[in-house]
Amino acid sequence: MNCDLLVVGAGIVGLAHAWAGARRGWRVVVVERDAACIGASIRNFGFVTVTGQQRGAHWRRARRSRELWAELAPQAGLRIEHAGLLVAARHEASEAILEAFLATEMGEGCERLDAAAALARQPGLRAEGLRGGLYSPHELRVESREAIPRIAAWLAERHGVEFRFGESVLEAEAPHVRTSRASYRAERVAVCSGAELHGLFAERWTPHALSLCQLQMLRVKPPAGFRLNAALMADLSLVRYEGYAALPQARPLLERLSAERHDALAHGIHLIVVQSADGSLVVGDSHHYGPVLPPFASEAVDRLILDELHRQLALPSLEIVERWTGVYPVSAEVPCLVEAPDPRTRLVMVTGGTGASTAFGLAEEVLADW
């Protein structure tokens, strides 16, 4: 079988490259080793995050990806669950970070809120200790476990992309690709295999000292009628997301949280809350690192995540309806990697858990540079 572009991996990074190729009129084949996409791309918040991404190219990449999500969603029949982001601030040091952030180019379109405005923006915020916050209009939220298979189906239906699920790529020496089921001739090959660090082209990843990050997440049922008007973050996010954390004003907050919230920081916990169509809340998350990670979730970590949720929202009762873990590759140096082992082949990896937020923009860059 011949194609213009063969994509290895049907997660969000692979789908982004398939769409970018289809938009150029290329014949695209996507080969995915599993019978369906079950990795990090469906285990996340479905949260297209712009505000807080690493300043510079990655932030611009997220802005472009958000534009592309807004273009794709109505065409593919995807529901936007809600839009925007509210960052709740409960420390004086947090307010200094938000002021500094708004003074940068990344603050364009964002709004500083006092406590009353934050409560008006999101009824149900816990009023005690609330100093205010930041509102960003840029973010979008989709249901990732529904969006990923829907995008694949839309690419097949509308753009003629051929998907080969349950098929492992054994060798890729472009233009020749051999899988467990077939052989292909591809003018270009994009390897987007996510957290698989020891498979195809493993030797190209070795110099980057990559590791894995495992996160824990929950789905909870809030009281009937509770509505989240935008995604919610809080103080812990300000010392984790690089767009805030790299600002000099972040140091005092980190020092205070290190003393007061050592338990949360030790488990890499910061709060993100988003809402689904059925009213349930997706809540997370934690971050643990290593070359290999056990598949066992910790009840103590889940409790810390829920404690942070209760710090931010005055919800009298919650029912946990789902728990899960996810794994993605991480680099201590860069938010994404693109390697070119030969002129026809690109290895593409998002290395900071921001695939949903940046993959569409990254794929455009990769194809433009080919």
Side-chain angles (χ1 to χ4, degrees), residues 164-183:
R164 303 294 297 267
F165 287 99
E167 187 170 327
S168 296
V169 176
L170 305 178
E171 294 179 352
E173 296 183 4
H176 304 291
V177 177
R178 183 172 68 89
T179 76
S180 56
R181 297 183 182 274
S183 294

Side-chain angles (χ1 to χ4, degrees), residues 312-333:
Q312 305 305 330
L313 291 174
L315 298 174
S317 63
L318 288 174
E319 176 189 354
I320 299 173
V321 295
E322 281 186 318
R323 306 171 190 259
W324 66 94
T325 62
V327 176
Y328 60 79
V330 290
S331 164
E333 299 177 351

Side-chain angles (χ1 to χ4, degrees), residues 214-238:
Q214 184 179 71
L215 51 86
Q216 288 183 208
M217 296 178 63
L218 307 97
R219 184 181 295 275
V220 303
K221 184 178 179 180
F226 176 80
R227 293 306 306 171
L228 198 64
N229 295 326
L232 177 65
M233 291 185 184
D235 305 271
L236 288 169
S237 300
L238 298 177

Side-chain angles (χ1 to χ4, degrees), residues 27-66:
R27 182 180 181 186
V28 180
V29 174
V30 179
V31 180
E32 166 58 50
R33 66 180 182 180
D34 292 312
C37 180
I38 59 169
S41 293
I42 69 161
R43 304 187 195 188
N44 56 35
F45 296 93
F47 183 31
V48 182
T49 315
V50 176
T51 311
Q53 298 291 359
Q54 185 185 84
R55 192 174 187 176
H58 204 59
W59 175 77
R60 292 190 294 272
R61 194 173 291 131
R63 287 288 296 261
R64 176 57 180 159
S65 294
R66 193 270 189 206

